[in-house]
Amino acid sequence: MTETPALPALWPAPLADGTVHATVTVPGSKSVTNRALVLAALAAEPGWVRRPLRSRDSQLMADALRAMGVGIEETVSSSSAGDGAGGEAWRVIPAALHGPTTVDVGNAGTVMRFLPPVATLADGDIRFDGDPRSYERPLGQVISALRTLGARIDDDGRGALPMTVLGGGALEGGTVEIDASNSSQFVSALLLSAPRFNQGVEVRHVGGNLPSMPHIRMTVEMLRAAGAQVDTPEAGGEKDVWRVTPGALLGRDMVVEPDLSNAQPFLAAALITGGTVTVPDWPRRTTQPGDALRRIFTEMGGSCELTDAGLVFTGTGKIHGIDVDLSEVGELTPGIAAVAALADSESVLRGVAHLRLHETDRLAALTKEINGLGGDVTETADGLRIRPRRMHGGVFHTYDDHRMATAGAVIGLAVEGVQIENVATTAKTLPDFPKMWTDMLAGDADGSGVPGASAGAGA
């Protein structure tokens, strides 16, 4: 990863002096990048991952696959498909997976959950370790499911990291029941490697409400694009069941979409200041949860249009409260909560109890930090109730959570004197966020030099 200037421990969030008018090119999707890397690593032939996200989470995924024997060559190339998808590209060269080795998962849910099933296919032991917070994040359902399918895993009975997968070079597979109510990644983890299991897999979710269904749909569509046969028999009356047939995965030329969830703070800037932000290459059809921002931020007072230039989002400077079920798009909650704290009426965010188990307990963290700036947020059983109040400056803690950092920056647009603790944590999925943010405020996020808002206090 490229070197970036050191950031202060407390980053002064810029105050918007006027309306924001900018074009913001958002880097590739973490969710798509890391799924594409896994599928390419398990394919029967080399493939390309184009326009990948280069961030801490994606680098951890690439380094982990390399440690297990996969070749990943980082290049700059033109697209052989003639679709204009040139630029940075990673050529993935599958190889026989092997150990012993240790995988550092950091605090990346996709790495800690997607790679243990891959490790069962390795010849040798693969140890998984990571940041202290990774020890607290749910993994037991993946571990028990893999054992049901024939894996040998040494976790000292914790059902969590650190642990070692005793790879035997293959996994039998079959039918397994899993409670994925804490994370849809549990289902995606089993599906991604399933074509390589001897019997494939049938996954049955048997718990409560399954969150983040768009991410499972993303997994299914990407598997099918790589040549896998995936059956989702809901039409036959079965719900929350997925069947993957064993077979070879094809080496594909995959182009990564912009990360729509990472576009959230920039769209929020237009909403809050009554300006306009354009995000190039916004897909007209996508499984990314971030696409819901078009609907949610429109309900909160903005308007948007998909054009040849991308998504053009415009705010009026008036922000309305919202009562919304975010169960399928929980990762958007911190940004929506930040906007809601600046609204003209109360908001209720529902269906996101599972956020208590993310990078941090996001519901508790948002409540504490927004209230610490004078806001009025109350936790509910499955979300947040936010009553707008006049807020003041102060330190906004991030808890090593990238979405907490960007939420604090959104509030800082309208509240003078907000300081973001450890803004560098945004590198998890959005490298160079502080520069992107100040460039946007200067109206120069795409290097065009178009005049716009200027960065105010603490810029």
Side-chain angles (χ1 to χ4, degrees):
M1 297 177 64
T2 56
E3 292 292 327
T4 56
L7 293 163
L10 294 178
W11 182 69
L15 182 74
D17 285 345
T19 57
V20 168
H21 295 280
T23 295
V24 180
T25 300
V26 178
S29 163
K30 175 204 73 174
S31 299
V32 175
T33 297
N34 279 1
R35 283 166 173 78
L37 285 171
V38 171
L39 291 171
L42 296 175
E45 56 194 348
W48 288 93
V49 179
R50 301 187 187 277
R51 294 182 181 170
L53 172 67
R54 181 181 285 274
S55 71
R56 187 186 185 215
D57 276 20
S58 59
Q59 202 68 54
L60 286 166
M61 180 66 83
D63 289 345
L65 291 168
R66 286 187 181 109
M68 287 190 273
V70 177
I72 301 177
E73 301 172 352
E74 302 179 19
T75 66
V76 176
S77 73
S78 59
S79 170
S80 61
D83 57 6
E88 184 165 7
W90 293 352
R91 182 160 175 77
V92 182
I93 305 169
L97 303 174
H98 61 79
T101 192
T102 296
V103 165
D104 176 13
V105 309
N107 191 20
T110 52
V111 181
M112 72 178 68
R113 291 161 183 157
F114 292 179
L115 289 189
V118 175
T120 66
L121 305 172
D123 184 7
D125 297 348
I126 311 294
R127 177 174 170 78
F128 290 85
D129 207 338
D131 296 352
R133 172 62 178 172
S134 71
Y135 296 1
E136 303 171 14
R137 298 187 68 182
L139 192 61
Q141 288 291 317
V142 175
I143 294 172
S144 60
L146 288 174
R147 285 177 173 146
T148 298
L149 298 173
R152 294 182 301 141
I153 298 174
D154 180 5
D155 65 343
D156 289 334
R158 287 184 299 270
L161 293 176
M163 68 174 191
T164 300
V165 176
L166 309 177
L171 191 70
E172 189 59 25
T175 299
V176 65
E177 293 185 343
I178 188 170
D179 179 356
S181 55
N182 284 334
S183 175
S184 67
Q185 289 178 356
F186 299 169
V187 174
S188 290
L190 298 174
L191 299 183
L192 285 167
S193 294
R196 291 282 303 272
F197 299 165
N198 294 343
Q199 297 182 35
V201 80
E202 178 178 299
V203 179
R204 293 179 170 268
H205 167 61
V206 294
N209 183 57
L210 185 57
S212 304
M213 278 297 294
H215 278 128
I216 296 180
R217 289 194 284 270
M218 177 188 293
T219 297
V220 169
E221 288 201 6
M222 292 184 68
L223 274 162
R224 287 171 174 161
Q229 181 177 333
V230 186
D231 181 23
T232 54
E234 289 189 16
E238 292 184 286
K239 186 176 182 294
D240 296 341
V241 177
W242 301 264
R243 299 185 183 115
V244 181
T245 302
L249 291 171
L250 306 175
R252 292 299 197 188
D253 198 321
M254 294 184 251
V255 181
V256 178
E257 298 172 349
D259 193 314
L260 306 187
S261 295
N262 277 341
Q264 182 179 36
F266 306 102
L267 301 182
L271 180 60
I272 290 166
T273 68
T276 299
V277 167
T278 299
V279 179
D281 300 317
W282 193 287
R284 293 188 177 273
R285 180 186 175 280
T286 181
T287 54
Q288 287 193 62
D291 195 46
L293 288 168
R294 292 191 291 155
R295 170 182 57 83
I296 294 169
F297 277 175
T298 295
E299 290 182 22
M300 296 187 80
S303 63
C304 65
E305 182 182 5
L306 271 175
T307 71
D308 291 342
L311 180 72
V312 181
F313 187 86
T314 302
T316 62
K318 295 182 179 179
I319 308 165
H320 308 311
I322 191 171
D323 188 326
V324 61
D325 183 344
L326 299 175
S327 58
E328 291 206 343
V329 294
E331 65 193 49
L332 304 180
T333 301
I336 294 170
V339 173
L342 304 171
D344 58 12
S345 58
E346 179 178 288
S347 294
V348 180
L349 313 185
R350 307 178 187 277
V352 288
H354 61 285
L355 294 189
R356 294 186 169 99
L357 301 169
H358 274 223
E359 281 81 347
T360 187
D361 179 341
R362 284 179 171 165
L363 300 185
L366 287 164
T367 300
K368 181 177 180 182
E369 298 310 313
I370 294 175
N371 288 351
L373 301 179
D376 184 358
V377 182
T378 304
E379 280 193 62
T380 65
D382 71 338
L384 299 172
R385 184 178 300 274
I386 302 169
R387 301 175 181 87
R389 295 285 187 271
R390 183 175 180 84
M391 291 192 288
H392 53 73
V395 175
F396 193 94
H397 298 90
T398 63
Y399 308 88
D400 295 323
D401 186 332
H402 55 131
R403 300 206 191 277
M404 287 294 296
T406 54
V410 166
I411 293 173
L413 288 173
V415 178
E416 187 171 3
V418 174
Q419 299 181 85
I420 311 299
E421 174 264 336
N422 188 23
V423 74
T425 194
T426 53
K428 176 180 172 68
T429 62
L430 192 56
D432 302 324
F433 169 75
K435 183 177 187 301
M436 293 176 68
W437 196 243
T438 53
D439 284 353
M440 174 199 67
L441 287 167
D444 194 27
D446 64 346
S448 66
V450 178
S454 60

